[in-house]
Amino acid sequence: MITQTFGGGGGRTAVASRYINGSRVVKNLLKRVASLFISISIGFGVLPAVAEDGYELWLRYEQLEARPADAPRHVMAACAEPSETLQAALAEIERATESLLGNSLQSTDRLRSRTLVLASADCADAIDEADLPTTEAVGAEGFALRATKLNGKRVTLIAAQSDLGVLYGTFDYLQRMSRGEALTDLDVISRPKTKLRLLNHWDNLDRHVERGYAGQSIWDWHRLPDYLDPKYTDYARANASIGINGVSLTNVNADATVLTAPYLEKVAALADIFRPYGIRIYLTARFSAPMELGGLDTADPRDAEVQAWWQAKVDEIYAHVPDFGGFLVKANSEGQPGPQDYERSHAEGANMLATALAPHEGIVMWRAFVYSAEEPEDRVKQAYTEFVPLDGQFADNVLVQVKNGPLDFQPREPFHPLFGAMPETPLMMELQITKEYLGFSTHLAYLGTLWEEVLSADTHAEGEGTSVASVIDGVAQEYELTGMAGVANIGSDRNWSGSVFDQANWYAFGRLAWDPDASSEAIARDWVEQTLSRAPEVADEITGMMMGSREAVVNYMTPLGLTHLMGTGHHYGPAPWVDDLGRADWTPYYYHKATKDAVGFDRTETGSGAVDQYAGPVAQEWASLDTVPDELLLWFHRVPWDYQLSNGQTLWQELVNRYDRGVSAVGVMQAQWASLENEIDVERFAQVSAFLGIQHQEAIWWRDASIAYWQSVNGLPLPEGAEPPAHDLDHYKSLSFPNAPGQGE
Amino acid sequence: MITQTFGGGGGRTAVASRYINGSRVVKNLLKRVASLFISISIGFGVLPAVAEDGYELWLRYEQLEARPADAPRHVMAACAEPSETLQAALAEIERATESLLGNSLQSTDRLRSRTLVLASADCADAIDEADLPTTEAVGAEGFALRATKLNGKRVTLIAAQSDLGVLYGTFDYLQRMSRGEALTDLDVISRPKTKLRLLNHWDNLDRHVERGYAGQSIWDWHRLPDYLDPKYTDYARANASIGINGVSLTNVNADATVLTAPYLEKVAALADIFRPYGIRIYLTARFSAPMELGGLDTADPRDAEVQAWWQAKVDEIYAHVPDFGGFLVKANSEGQPGPQDYERSHAEGANMLATALAPHEGIVMWRAFVYSAEEPEDRVKQAYTEFVPLDGQFADNVLVQVKNGPLDFQPREPFHPLFGAMPETPLMMELQITKEYLGFSTHLAYLGTLWEEVLSADTHAEGEGTSVASVIDGVAQEYELTGMAGVANIGSDRNWSGSVFDQANWYAFGRLAWDPDASSEAIARDWVEQTLSRAPEVADEITGMMMGSREAVVNYMTPLGLTHLMGTGHHYGPAPWVDDLGRADWTPYYYHKATKDAVGFDRTETGSGAVDQYAGPVAQEWASLDTVPDELLLWFHRVPWDYQLSNGQTLWQELVNRYDRGVSAVGVMQAQWASLENEIDVERFAQVSAFLGIQHQEAIWWRDASIAYWQSVNGLPLPEGAEPPAHDLDHYKSLSFPNAPGQGE
């Protein structure tokens, strides 16, 4: 499509359009053939880079430099009346090929040479069913892509058992084409390793997004259900393109209002848009809703009226949304109501909801992110302590949703000790795509590496080689239900995620939910090629930036196992000095306990003993100062400032070194990006440049404020060669950010 | 520019691009000439309507059907080093002509035939200064457009005293071209009738917009000053294109934080972007800032420390923003602090700030929207009562900013009695572009007619013919300072204003601020031609829809002089029954006082006497039941339900008729719009259709809820033929809207 852009990138002109001052006769002659030429000139190479605001995400389908020799010419579905899902696939093919090839494939209703054929068990009239992949091979959602012959014609077959599988295969195929991969000998089978691949939106009904750094909620509740923003469809396309099959629309700090009839109508309107893309809707259930909406005196899960209220409410939801997915629940955590208010267990609470959902095949995702009002000696122990005894008590349609680490989405944490510790209870992993603790949307931090680190960690739960991924995907402990959830980083910003590179985190989440064993580097590279540039040297450079970016954040924020030192409430910027909040485990001080002599949290047997929540070999490695990796040192150990690390540096020297390394790494990213100025479109180039500038300033701020604080505690001089903080500690303490985005409300 | 759109409108393809399967040799041959053809084929008529999301506003510059015979070929500024403002004009010409004509004008550095020449007193090297319009003719901001001969060459001259005048002239010229007007005999002089033409943003620093229905604030404070969204530049362009020369960035319910150093850096970054476009920044000053930021014990304007604090603060602001415009102040109104807290007058408060600003040539805009905590007998009298005695007491650099009517931006009010009543004090008019009381952004209500009604009203202040416009523009009472302010309807929504038609209200505000005597119909037509369609029959139809739209809203919401019946707090939907709020004059009941016998607010001598605040002839007309127009009947009079109107109907019959008329008018707009489906691009057509559907539903809701309520009070049967309400009154009373957008926070 051609559209006028009215943006700052408007300096570039897309068409070399010099007016031809010919006579009218000549002009008319020219016009008659112009429509022939335009397809070619637009087709290949004539157009320079265009204005680009990031709205298209990784589905830009930027025109290929040349039409691939093996590109199909025609497209068909293998049945006369393709479903809405197959129609969505066909529409995507039209859109993508027009953009990638300069013209879209021609529809055909018979097998011809060079046809792209879509076929499923429900749409196989035009092919031999034997050409479909078996259920054993692709399951309910997987697909096969094959360059093959049908009826003697060379075709490319996108085939699956289900129409949704075909849609996933279509997106996979088009993204391969978009990356410029050879398609001649295509022979791919892919199926998701997890069943539930969900985004969790922490979006309030007033459109404030808790921990959102990309504008306000994309759910325009006020104008729903009557106005259906085209953005909702593009959101569904983007999600389907990476295999996401469910969305929880509302904040886990839940508002029961979303369960009222007017809101259910709005929810139903979204469900209708998402359905062809295989995306089911889930809602967050406020545990006290029977009191707030139903006027009951209690929300006790054993109360018959409460149970009846939920059953009626669930039935009402399904009347609006027949394929409703179920509830996501945060209960007895950070002030949310829950079953413990009535001295019932999490299992009883979850099962009460599960009972109401079961007749409709709905599920409950019950979050394990809990910590009691009583302030246990070590907050990171609590989820394990509370949930392990409940193993085996949850209904079959309940999953327990566990954050990747035992604290709260820090730049680095060890994997959560619950993984592997609840063999009778399916555990979903909850990742945070939005970067609450990693610099919001202005810091470049590719999270694929963080997630891969967790997923590939060995729990030893069923012996050596029991990776977290193998727990999550159900293989290790034979879970029937499996899933991954990502806390969305999506908002009303034009580029969806607040920054170009945060789009990569959305993308990587989907890819890893599909395959928790995938390589974060391969995912990054795919994203770069689809989103920024197919040029190999450019893609190399950007992939390299991404792969090192999270470690840079760890280094300038919380090196060597330090954690949760962010500014209170908003989590923006450093505040290691804060030690006076309502409860100790909300303060940064709680997590480092720095004194003149030592720093770190002793979680060994001499301390909280949290390390013993891990399986033997893991606990052993991390409990010993000799074997604990430097990256987790201060997470598990309290260490003197002059403790000598294996590299010969003292703790203090190494700490300062790491801060410097983090700052330098951002400087290197700036230089790398600057070198790409001619390779990237103007608007995105400028935004990334500006954000890297912010990140560099803030990395220095983190380093300097942290060092100034540690020095105020340990009284040590700076290691030789280290740059002193730009300001004194009082300056850093004086900064306040009342309007930092994304705060809880 | 050409860009991939990834939107719901994507069903249409912009280029008829069928792939040509020629041999490589042929293809290469074709490619060599393709660049010639493409400019022509894109040039005229080949491309169908394109996807359009409204971002370009009235500056779409949609390609002309044919290149005008008299279009210039070249462009030049009449000096070697044009200022940033002239560069902005040149950039706009490039952008616009490329889009309108298919190619942009060629730069030239010497006078040639068919050149568009930009010249000002500071940029006149290439022309005879006598060719510039005089200061007498165009003032500091006006311009002349002339098709003329210079050095024997036929040129078009855009000339002014100032560079800003040239920029305004450039926008005027390009918009004429965009409307398809003949430019051959161009001879235009235009100058603004008011000096200050300001948008007032009611934007909080957390990006919530009070009374905002277009997403969140476009000011991304968190990422400022380091990231400069390209949108800021487009905002400046749009404003300059309609003559707006100032912006108050922050809510009148002010947060002193914006006056702190970190925020002033952010403000300065915006000022740097706006400066070339002639837009100065103003801030809202929280009167208690010396206490909140300065730690003083008082904000008493007579206190020397307070005065010194403001002087230092103002100096600090000017160090950041050398062309800072000044302060907008809401004081002693709805809980805001102000001089009356210290028993000082509004004049003393304003003058204290004015003294600090005067050395920098800054000004104070002091709002007259006040009503005391004591609840006077009639709230609409209070501004007049408080401010008229202060006439003559304000410093020279103070304006008093007065809303168009004495209440609060209702669908219809009489003009504010202060207009004409303060001959010694320049009064600015404050209009509300955002539609707090007219259905938010989903109701189509063109406000040009509302504003024209007020501006053309005769105050009789200096004898017959003293229009409100003549007060505002300073002619009637010889104000030195003059101005109009519009409360912005701009937010982060892609289309800026939340709906296509609300863009017209932004546009109309600018045009009326430039010329308060302008015709709202001519303005509407210009906007339609630039924004939606130049086709005469299409433009006729849409202009017609717009011209009747506000009266429709009056009819279905508050006919016959009823007022302020909107839902409490959010002002969404009808709630005439509310009578139990903290203070009576916040309740709808206060404004209608309906009983079994009568309805309306007696503001004659038997009632509050408010009508006597108007000049004699006006007061006389409105005080008498014989002469008061039906449209203001219940505003000024309390009338029995069976009172007979001049058309023979009883009040009750006519009231019900008017509700029906309002609903029907929306139905007609729906039909009119539906008839334009093939004339309007897909995405905007669909959005307007959906919004008209919402408006129709809500018009019925307004009518039915209002009639149900009036019947519950007066016990009267429905007039014959009237449709009964769809629900009973309890239903309407039961509706609640906790998350309605735009609420005060």
Side-chain angles (χ1 to χ4, degrees):
Chain A
M1 277 133 284
I2 296 186
T3 185
Q4 273 298 322
T5 50
F6 174 4
R12 284 197 189 177
T13 57
V15 181
S17 54
R18 183 136 308 184
Y19 179 67
I20 305 295
N21 182 24
S23 72
R24 176 169 301 186
V25 173
V26 171
K27 269 195 270 181
N28 284 342
L29 267 174
L30 294 182
K31 270 196 207 178
R32 284 171 52 196
V33 284
S35 62
L36 298 180
F37 287 86
I38 195 170
S39 63
I40 297 165
S41 55
I42 287 191
F44 299 108
V46 174
L47 302 181
V50 296
E52 167 63 82
D53 56 25
Y55 183 75
E56 300 170 66
L57 296 163
W58 50 86
L59 300 177
R60 292 179 71 220
Y61 302 126
E62 193 183 15
Q63 193 156 32
L64 294 165
E65 291 69 25
R67 186 182 178 88
D70 50 357
R73 298 265 172 75
H74 312 287
V75 62
M76 69 176 286
C79 58
E81 293 188 358
S83 68
E84 284 196 333
T85 297
L86 290 183
Q87 287 176 41
L90 290 166
E92 195 70 24
I93 291 166
E94 183 180 354
R95 175 195 298 260
T97 54
E98 179 177 314
S99 181
L100 286 164
L101 306 176
N103 63 333
S104 57
L105 305 187
Q106 276 201 314
S107 273
T108 178
D109 54 7
R110 61 183 176 82
L111 277 182
R112 303 161 69 171
S113 203
R114 303 187 69 173
T115 296
L116 183 62
V117 182
L118 311 190
S120 72
D122 291 333
C123 182
D125 305 342
I127 67 164
D128 186 336
E129 291 220 15
D131 288 316
L132 292 180
T134 62
T135 304
E136 288 64 41
V138 298
E141 296 181 299
F143 57 84
L145 308 180
R146 273 196 299 141
T148 184
K149 281 200 174 185
L150 295 179
N151 288 352
K153 313 286 187 187
R154 297 196 59 81
V155 304
T156 301
L157 182 61
I158 303 179
Q161 281 294 314
S162 68
D163 291 354
L164 180 58
V166 175
L167 180 66
Y168 288 149
T170 298
F171 274 113
D172 188 71
Y173 175 81
L174 295 172
Q175 290 176 82
R176 288 170 190 272
M177 188 184 281
S178 180
R179 298 194 293 268
E181 294 181 9
L183 305 171
T184 313
D185 301 315
L186 204 58
D187 188 6
V188 170
I189 293 254
S190 182
R191 61 184 292 181
K193 291 183 182 167
T194 62
K195 287 188 181 162
L196 302 162
R197 304 176 300 278
L198 265 61
L199 288 185
N200 288 182
H201 286 260
W202 287 358
D203 292 16
N204 294 344
L205 300 180
D206 66 358
R207 301 188 73 178
H208 175 77
V209 181
E210 186 166 332
R211 311 310 173 185
Y213 312 104
Q216 61 183 174
S217 172
I218 59 170
W219 315 128
D220 185 354
W221 293 109
H222 183 69
R223 291 176 182 143
L224 280 168
D226 298 293
Y227 176 59
L228 303 174
D229 194 320
K231 187 179 277 195
Y232 302 145
T233 304
D234 290 328
Y235 168 88
R237 289 177 48 233
N239 278 328
S241 78
I242 50 176
I244 289 172
N245 66 0
V247 177
S248 172
L249 297 175
T250 45
N251 196 347
V252 288
N253 292 321
D255 182 342
T257 308
V258 77
L259 303 177
T260 62
Y263 276 84
L264 291 178
E265 283 180 33
K266 300 169 194 279
V267 169
L270 291 174
D272 291 343
I273 294 172
F274 296 167
R275 192 167 294 113
Y277 295 91
I279 295 167
R280 297 175 112 183
I281 283 182
Y282 300 77
L283 293 174
T284 49
R286 187 163 166 86
F287 203 78
S288 52
M291 300 163 74
E292 293 158 13
L293 302 182
L296 303 188
D297 295 331
T298 178
D300 184 345
R302 285 198 199 162
D303 185 279
E305 278 192 286
V306 169
Q307 293 165 3
W309 187 89
W310 278 112
Q311 187 63 63
K313 180 53 71 182
V314 165
D315 295 345
E316 183 188 356
I317 296 172
Y318 278 91
H320 283 91
V321 184
D323 57 349
F324 178 64
F327 291 134
L328 170 63
V329 187
K330 174 177 182 175
N332 293 121
S333 170
E334 300 184 318
Q336 294 296 306
Q340 293 180 339
D341 301 348
Y342 309 97
E343 296 177 0
R344 315 300 180 204
S345 74
H346 284 291
E348 275 190 278
N351 292 347
M352 184 262 297
L353 295 173
T355 301
L357 288 158
H360 304 283
E361 300 182 8
I363 60 154
V364 172
M365 294 163 290
W366 193 270
R367 293 175 87 238
F369 178 68
V370 297
Y371 51 96
S372 75
E374 283 83 39
E375 290 187 48
E377 57 165 340
D378 186 354
R379 179 175 138 185
V380 307
K381 290 175 69 176
Q382 191 161 345
Y384 182 101
T385 306
E386 278 202 46
F387 277 82
V388 166
L390 300 175
D391 192 26
Q393 296 183 24
F394 290 93
D396 287 347
N397 58 335
V398 176
L399 300 97
V400 172
Q401 183 164 311
V402 182
K403 292 187 182 185
N404 58 285
L407 184 49
D408 192 16
F409 300 135
Q410 297 300 302
R412 170 168 280 122
E413 298 183 40
F415 69 85
H416 201 297
L418 275 175
F419 293 117
M422 293 185 72
E424 306 301 320
T425 309
L427 301 185
M428 274 180 86
M429 181 179 280
E430 178 177 310
L431 302 171
Q432 194 183 46
I433 307 172
T434 190
K435 302 209 309 298
E436 175 180 357
Y437 295 99
L438 288 99
F440 299 2
S441 58
T442 41
H443 291 214
L444 198 171
Y446 173 56
L447 300 178
T449 51
L450 189 167
W451 300 333
E452 185 179 21
E453 179 177 297
V454 173
L455 289 164
S456 64
D458 191 348
T459 68
H460 287 262
E462 307 285 338
E464 192 175 343
T466 313
S467 68
V468 172
S470 75
V471 174
I472 295 307
D473 68 15
V475 170
Q477 300 181 321
E478 296 177 0
Y479 296 155
E480 276 295 312
L481 286 173
T482 55
M484 281 177 66
V487 180
N489 64 351
I490 296 162
S492 61
D493 275 5
R494 180 67 180 167
N495 66 12
W496 301 88
S497 298
S499 75
V500 175
F501 279 96
D502 277 307
Q503 299 176 350
N505 292 324
W506 178 8
Y507 179 84
F509 167 74
R511 292 281 303 268
L512 284 169
W514 184 278
D515 179 5
D517 297 310
S519 146
S520 65
E521 180 159 12
I523 292 170
R525 174 110 194 172
D526 285 352
W527 176 81
V528 171
E529 290 177 358
Q530 294 173 214
T531 310
L532 288 165
S533 176
R534 275 187 296 261
E537 63 288 359
V538 178
D540 285 347
E541 190 82 16
I542 299 175
T543 305
M545 289 171 63
M546 291 169 70
M547 290 304 292
S549 59
R550 174 259 189 157
E551 199 65 35
V553 176
V554 170
N555 280 330
Y556 62 71
M557 286 189 183
T558 51
L560 294 174
L562 288 168
T563 199
H564 214 305
L565 306 183
M566 293 75 186
T568 300
H570 47 63
H571 301 152
Y572 174 61
W577 48 81
V578 172
D579 60 1
D580 57 353
L581 300 178
R583 51 186 289 167
D585 57 355
W586 286 353
T587 68
Y589 176 78
Y590 175 92
Y591 294 101
H592 64 72
K593 296 180 167 47
T595 62
K596 184 161 178 41
D597 302 316
V599 63
F601 199 126
D602 183 0
R603 292 192 165 100
T604 68
E605 60 185 359
T606 57
S608 77
V611 72
D612 290 329
Q613 292 183 335
Y614 292 93
V618 179
Q620 235 169 347
E621 181 190 344
W622 290 348
S624 163
L625 270 174
D626 294 335
T627 50
V628 67
D630 289 349
E631 283 63 33
L632 294 176
L633 177 63
L634 303 177
W635 182 281
F636 285 112
H637 296 274
R638 182 162 180 80
V639 181
W641 293 103
D642 59 1
Y643 174 78
Q644 197 168 10
L645 298 171
S646 56
N647 67 0
Q649 300 277 301
T650 67
L651 172 67
W652 174 234
Q653 287 170 326
E654 181 65 10
L655 194 63
V656 174
N657 284 347
R658 297 253 177 161
Y659 284 121
D660 274 332
R661 201 185 299 171
V663 171
S664 302
V666 180
V668 171
M669 287 201 292
Q670 284 186 292
Q672 288 177 289
W673 187 254
S675 75
L676 301 173
E677 177 156 14
N678 296 323
E679 309 297 334
I680 308 290
D681 39 280
V682 174
E683 189 168 335
R684 292 191 300 174
F685 179 81
Q687 192 189 58
V688 172
S689 298
F691 286 3
L692 285 169
I694 291 171
Q695 184 174 12
H696 195 243
Q697 284 174 40
E698 295 188 351
I700 292 170
W701 170 33
W702 265 98
R703 176 192 67 189
D704 288 3
S706 300
I707 290 176
Y709 171 69
W710 303 128
Q711 281 194 294
S712 79
V713 174
N714 65 20
L716 294 172
L718 280 180
E720 207 169 333
E723 217 175 316
H727 302 278
D728 64 16
L729 181 58
D730 285 343
H731 167 80
Y732 298 111
K733 286 185 173 179
S734 76
L735 302 175
S736 74
F737 305 94
N739 295 297
Q743 300 186 56
E745 281 193 345
Chain B
M1 276 134 286
I2 296 188
T3 185
Q4 270 301 318
T5 50
F6 173 6
R12 284 197 188 176
T13 57
V15 181
S17 54
R18 183 136 307 186
Y19 180 67
I20 306 296
N21 182 24
S23 71
R24 175 168 301 185
V25 173
V26 171
K27 268 195 269 179
N28 283 343
L29 266 172
L30 294 180
K31 270 197 206 175
R32 284 171 51 194
V33 285
S35 63
L36 298 179
F37 287 88
I38 195 170
S39 64
I40 297 166
S41 55
I42 288 192
F44 298 108
V46 173
L47 303 181
V50 295
E52 166 63 83
D53 57 23
Y55 183 74
E56 299 171 65
L57 296 163
W58 49 88
L59 300 177
R60 291 180 72 220
Y61 302 127
E62 192 183 17
Q63 191 157 32
L64 294 165
E65 290 70 23
R67 188 183 176 88
D70 50 356
R73 299 265 172 76
H74 313 287
V75 61
M76 68 176 286
C79 58
E81 294 188 358
S83 68
E84 283 196 335
T85 297
L86 290 183
Q87 287 176 42
L90 290 166
E92 195 70 24
I93 291 165
E94 184 180 353
R95 174 196 298 259
T97 54
E98 179 177 313
S99 180
L100 286 163
L101 305 176
N103 62 334
S104 58
L105 305 187
Q106 276 202 316
S107 273
T108 179
D109 54 7
R110 59 183 179 82
L111 276 181
R112 302 161 70 170
S113 202
R114 304 187 70 173
T115 297
L116 183 61
V117 181
L118 311 189
S120 72
D122 291 332
C123 182
D125 305 342
I127 66 163
D128 186 336
E129 291 220 17
D131 287 316
L132 294 180
T134 62
T135 303
E136 288 65 40
V138 297
E141 296 180 299
F143 57 84
L145 308 179
R146 273 195 299 141
T148 184
K149 282 200 175 187
L150 294 180
N151 287 354
K153 313 286 186 188
R154 298 196 58 81
V155 304
T156 301
L157 183 61
I158 303 180
Q161 283 294 314
S162 68
D163 291 354
L164 181 58
V166 176
L167 180 65
Y168 288 148
T170 298
F171 274 112
D172 188 71
Y173 175 80
L174 294 172
Q175 289 176 85
R176 287 171 189 273
M177 188 184 280
S178 180
R179 297 193 293 267
E181 293 182 9
L183 305 171
T184 314
D185 302 313
L186 204 59
D187 188 7
V188 171
I189 293 253
S190 182
R191 60 185 293 182
K193 292 183 181 166
T194 62
K195 287 187 181 160
L196 303 162
R197 304 176 299 280
L198 265 60
L199 288 185
N200 289 182
H201 286 261
W202 287 358
D203 292 14
N204 294 344
L205 300 181
D206 66 0
R207 302 188 72 179
H208 176 78
V209 181
E210 187 166 332
R211 310 312 172 186
Y213 312 104
Q216 62 183 172
S217 172
I218 60 170
W219 316 129
D220 185 355
W221 293 109
H222 183 68
R223 291 177 181 142
L224 280 168
D226 298 293
Y227 176 59
L228 303 174
D229 195 319
K231 186 179 277 193
Y232 302 144
T233 304
D234 291 328
Y235 169 88
R237 290 176 48 233
N239 279 328
S241 78
I242 51 176
I244 288 172
N245 65 0
V247 177
S248 173
L249 298 175
T250 45
N251 195 346
V252 289
N253 292 321
D255 181 343
T257 307
V258 78
L259 303 177
T260 61
Y263 276 85
L264 292 177
E265 283 180 34
K266 300 169 193 281
V267 169
L270 291 174
D272 290 343
I273 294 172
F274 296 166
R275 193 168 293 113
Y277 294 91
I279 295 167
R280 295 176 112 184
I281 284 182
Y282 299 76
L283 293 174
T284 48
R286 185 162 166 88
F287 204 78
S288 52
M291 300 164 73
E292 292 157 14
L293 301 183
L296 304 188
D297 296 330
T298 178
D300 183 345
R302 284 199 198 161
D303 184 279
E305 276 191 286
V306 170
Q307 293 165 3
W309 187 89
W310 278 112
Q311 187 63 64
K313 181 53 71 182
V314 165
D315 295 345
E316 182 189 356
I317 296 172
Y318 278 93
H320 283 91
V321 184
D323 58 348
F324 178 64
F327 291 134
L328 169 63
V329 187
K330 174 177 181 175
N332 293 120
S333 170
E334 299 184 317
Q336 293 297 306
Q340 294 179 340
D341 301 348
Y342 309 97
E343 296 176 2
R344 315 299 181 205
S345 74
H346 283 293
E348 274 190 279
N351 292 347
M352 184 263 295
L353 296 174
T355 300
L357 288 158
H360 304 281
E361 300 183 9
I363 60 154
V364 172
M365 295 164 290
W366 193 269
R367 293 174 88 238
F369 178 68
V370 296
Y371 52 96
S372 75
E374 283 84 38
E375 293 187 47
E377 57 164 339
D378 185 355
R379 179 175 139 186
V380 307
K381 290 176 68 175
Q382 191 162 344
Y384 181 101
T385 307
E386 278 204 45
F387 276 82
V388 166
L390 300 176
D391 192 25
Q393 296 183 24
F394 289 93
D396 287 346
N397 58 335
V398 176
L399 298 98
V400 172
Q401 184 164 312
V402 182
K403 292 187 181 184
N404 58 283
L407 184 48
D408 193 15
F409 300 135
Q410 296 301 301
R412 171 167 279 123
E413 298 182 39
F415 69 85
H416 201 297
L418 276 176
F419 293 117
M422 293 186 71
E424 306 301 321
T425 308
L427 301 186
M428 274 180 88
M429 181 178 282
E430 178 177 310
L431 303 171
Q432 195 182 45
I433 307 171
T434 191
K435 304 208 307 298
E436 174 180 356
Y437 295 98
L438 288 98
F440 300 180
S441 56
T442 40
H443 290 214
L444 198 170
Y446 172 57
L447 301 178
T449 50
L450 188 167
W451 300 333
E452 183 178 23
E453 179 177 297
V454 173
L455 289 164
S456 64
D458 191 347
T459 68
H460 289 262
E462 306 286 338
E464 193 175 345
T466 313
S467 67
V468 172
S470 75
V471 174
I472 294 306
D473 69 16
V475 169
Q477 301 182 322
E478 297 178 359
Y479 296 154
E480 277 296 313
L481 284 174
T482 56
M484 280 177 67
V487 180
N489 65 350
I490 296 162
S492 61
D493 275 6
R494 180 67 180 167
N495 65 13
W496 300 89
S497 299
S499 75
V500 175
F501 279 95
D502 277 306
Q503 298 176 352
N505 291 323
W506 177 8
Y507 179 85
F509 167 75
R511 291 281 303 268
L512 284 168
W514 184 278
D515 179 7
D517 297 309
S519 147
S520 64
E521 181 160 13
I523 292 169
R525 174 112 195 169
D526 285 351
W527 176 82
V528 171
E529 290 178 356
Q530 295 172 214
T531 310
L532 287 165
S533 176
R534 276 187 295 260
E537 63 287 3
V538 177
D540 284 348
E541 191 81 15
I542 299 174
T543 305
M545 288 171 65
M546 291 169 69
M547 291 305 291
S549 59
R550 174 259 189 158
E551 200 66 36
V553 176
V554 171
N555 280 331
Y556 63 71
M557 286 189 185
T558 52
L560 294 174
L562 287 169
T563 199
H564 214 304
L565 306 183
M566 293 76 185
T568 300
H570 48 64
H571 301 153
Y572 173 61
W577 48 80
V578 173
D579 61 0
D580 57 353
L581 300 178
R583 48 185 292 167
D585 57 354
W586 286 352
T587 69
Y589 176 79
Y590 175 91
Y591 294 102
H592 64 72
K593 296 178 168 50
T595 63
K596 185 163 178 41
D597 302 317
V599 62
F601 199 127
D602 183 359
R603 293 192 164 99
T604 69
E605 61 186 356
T606 56
S608 77
V611 73
D612 290 329
Q613 292 183 335
Y614 292 94
V618 179
Q620 235 170 348
E621 181 190 344
W622 290 349
S624 162
L625 270 174
D626 294 335
T627 50
V628 67
D630 289 349
E631 283 62 35
L632 295 176
L633 178 62
L634 303 178
W635 181 282
F636 285 112
H637 297 274
R638 183 164 179 77
V639 182
W641 292 104
D642 59 0
Y643 174 77
Q644 196 167 13
L645 297 172
S646 55
N647 67 359
Q649 299 278 299
T650 66
L651 173 65
W652 174 235
Q653 288 171 324
E654 181 65 11
L655 195 63
V656 175
N657 285 345
R658 296 252 176 162
Y659 284 122
D660 274 334
R661 202 186 298 171
V663 171
S664 302
V666 180
V668 171
M669 288 201 290
Q670 286 185 290
Q672 289 177 289
W673 187 254
S675 76
L676 301 173
E677 177 157 14
N678 296 322
E679 309 297 333
I680 308 290
D681 40 280
V682 174
E683 188 169 336
R684 293 191 300 174
F685 179 81
Q687 193 189 58
V688 172
S689 298
F691 286 4
L692 285 169
I694 292 171
Q695 184 174 12
H696 195 243
Q697 285 174 38
E698 295 188 351
I700 292 170
W701 170 33
W702 264 98
R703 177 193 65 189
D704 288 2
S706 300
I707 289 175
Y709 171 69
W710 302 128
Q711 282 193 294
S712 78
V713 175
N714 64 20
L716 294 172
L718 279 179
E720 207 169 335
E723 217 175 317
H727 303 277
D728 64 17
L729 181 59
D730 285 342
H731 167 80
Y732 298 111
K733 285 185 174 180
S734 75
L735 303 176
S736 74
F737 305 95
N739 295 298
Q743 301 186 55
E745 282 193 345

